[in-house]
Amino acid sequence: MATASRIPLVSALETLWRIRRDDEVVITTMGSAREWMTLGEPHALDLILVPSAMGHGTSIGLGLALAQPGKRVIVCSGDGSLLMNLGSLASIVAANVPNLVVIVFDNGVYEVTGQQPTASADFCGVARACGFESVHAFSDATSWADGARSALDAKGPTFVCLNVEPVIGGTAPHSPGPTAARAKRFIEALRR
Amino acid sequence: MFSGDQIASLLSEVGVTHVITVPDSTIGRWEPAIERTGRIRLVRVCREGEAWQVAAGLYLGGATPLVMIQCTGLFESGDAIRNALHDWKVPVFSIVGYRSYLDQAKLPGDTCLVFTEPILDAWKIDYRLITSPSELHVIRDHLLSCRNAGKAGAALIAE
């Protein structure tokens, strides 16, 4: 859905970076992963889902939220990814995971393949129809910066739609390192 | 082939904490017994591809998941399997229902019989084909063997 106001992707992620608590898991995929890795030193509870099975950030997030009910799990997904796995929103509600937050960074395009338009959807409407009760949408950086923490703190599962600008020329993210080693470090960090 | 109580007891014995599943006419009937254990949580997903990635998240989070789907769901799962088992090397064990293996009258020429085992092989999933009620122990033994080896595996249950 086209909107007049969109948040620059990096700005949207910078807000999350800034407000994120030390015990919160953040899962990033595709464009969000690419930009997240530029923001600073990786956090022990970052799960950079590169490589990924596209669309499955929400599913991995569901699994983590179930396994770690005491930790908030925040999934950053693109709209193209989410469209590939819309049913996961129903799965999330069925699992009753109050500690899971899904943030869709909706830029309306498949960014890394050349900005082809996605089929798109009213993601907040889909989330509500699947049973999400905590649903939030932001179209400008100031509102997101002001409202992000309370959206994350709402009793979940929580769905947030951010209308973001596509990154012209944005490419697929590079893997930050061997997955087996990263998985091992992530598991150890969760155990602390 | 197996009762729900048999499967539930087995999964409980080997410490499975979560079963991620889309039911079929065989494995779906096991769900009440699995839920009655009180120790295993059933996680319903909408499409089988989700199951592998939910299992990956559970595993990373310290749980002991098991995927329970029909072979048709295995086919659907493709990229999710590739990523979970081979990119992230998560040792997910699965129980896969093998449609039409025992009865080909309902769906003559069912192509599940053509593709199931080659696709398990293609995805490099070490499986055991279970065709008899006397083979419950094979499921347990194979699951524990895969767990000890830190690799994915499957029990392919004839239906």
Side-chain angles (χ1 to χ4, degrees):
Chain A
M1 183 188 299
T3 59
S5 171
R6 287 186 177 271
I7 309 167
L9 175 60
V10 170
S11 171
L13 289 165
E14 281 173 341
T15 290
L16 180 60
W17 180 279
R18 194 173 58 250
I19 64 164
R20 174 259 195 100
R21 295 200 180 110
D22 207 40
D23 62 347
E24 291 177 333
V25 174
V26 175
I27 300 169
T28 51
T29 65
M30 300 301 286
S32 67
R34 181 189 68 229
E35 303 302 334
W36 189 257
M37 289 190 274
T38 69
L39 297 181
E41 283 300 306
H43 189 285
L45 294 183
D46 283 348
L47 184 61
I48 308 287
L49 211 56
V50 178
S52 67
M54 198 170 162
H56 283 290
T58 44
S59 302
I60 284 213
L62 172 55
L64 273 165
L66 284 166
Q68 296 278 327
K71 283 189 163 42
R72 184 168 285 107
V73 176
I74 302 163
V75 177
C76 300
S77 176
D79 55 309
S81 289
L82 187 58
L83 284 168
M84 293 190 180
N85 197 13
L86 275 181
S88 65
L89 297 182
S91 303
I92 285 167
V93 172
N96 189 19
V97 278
N99 57 323
L100 181 60
V101 178
V102 175
I103 305 176
V104 65
F105 293 76
D106 183 4
N107 62 11
V109 298
Y110 293 108
E111 185 175 273
V112 308
T113 56
Q115 318 268 317
Q116 297 87 2
T118 57
S120 198
D122 171 7
F123 291 108
C124 288
V126 171
R128 285 192 193 94
C130 288
F132 276 78
E133 294 180 357
S134 173
V135 178
H136 313 265
F138 299 91
S139 293
D140 69 271
T142 303
S143 302
W144 170 232
D146 290 344
R149 191 65 249 172
S150 64
L152 299 189
D153 286 338
K155 180 174 177 291
T158 291
F159 187 88
V160 176
C161 183
L162 301 180
N163 287 332
V164 296
E165 293 174 357
V167 175
I168 306 301
T171 58
H174 290 285
S175 172
T179 50
R182 286 194 281 137
K184 185 167 182 280
R185 283 196 302 271
F186 182 75
I187 290 169
E188 287 166 359
L190 279 173
R191 285 193 186 136
R192 285 187 222 123
Chain B
M1 171 104 40
F2 303 113
S3 70
D5 285 334
Q6 284 179 301
I7 295 296
S9 177
L10 166 61
L11 297 184
S12 197
E13 178 199 333
V14 298
V16 168
T17 58
H18 298 75
V19 170
I20 311 101
T21 185
V22 177
D24 74 7
S25 339
T26 299
I27 61 181
R29 294 179 205 280
W30 299 339
E31 289 187 9
I34 293 172
E35 287 186 303
R36 276 199 305 271
T37 63
R39 282 179 287 186
I40 303 174
R41 179 157 176 188
L42 270 180
V43 182
R44 169 80 69 241
V45 290
C46 297
R47 232 8 195 137
E48 290 87 343
E50 296 174 64
W52 302 89
Q53 297 281 321
V54 173
L58 280 160
Y59 176 83
L60 291 173
T64 307
L66 180 135
V67 166
M68 196 165 80
I69 58 176
Q70 195 190 59
C71 55
T72 49
L74 172 75
F75 307 150
E76 191 276 337
S77 297
D79 198 49
I81 290 175
R82 180 194 58 78
N83 179 251
L85 270 53
H86 298 295
D87 286 338
W88 288 91
K89 305 200 183 337
V90 178
V92 179
F93 196 86
S94 57
I95 289 178
V96 178
Y98 199 170
R99 193 176 79 182
S100 296
Y101 190 92
L102 297 176
D103 174 11
Q104 291 158 51
K106 195 167 187 181
L107 284 172
D110 188 353
T111 53
C112 286
L113 299 174
V114 175
F115 291 108
T116 297
E117 292 181 76
I119 281 178
L120 283 167
D121 286 333
W123 284 122
K124 298 189 189 319
I125 296 175
D126 183 2
Y127 70 94
R128 295 292 179 270
L129 176 58
I130 309 295
T131 59
S132 162
S134 67
E135 293 179 316
L136 187 67
H137 70 282
V138 176
I139 303 174
R140 181 182 60 248
D141 293 348
H142 187 49
L143 185 154
L144 292 175
S145 171
C146 289
R147 184 182 291 173
N148 289 340
K151 66 177 185 179
L156 183 58
I157 310 291
E159 296 179 347

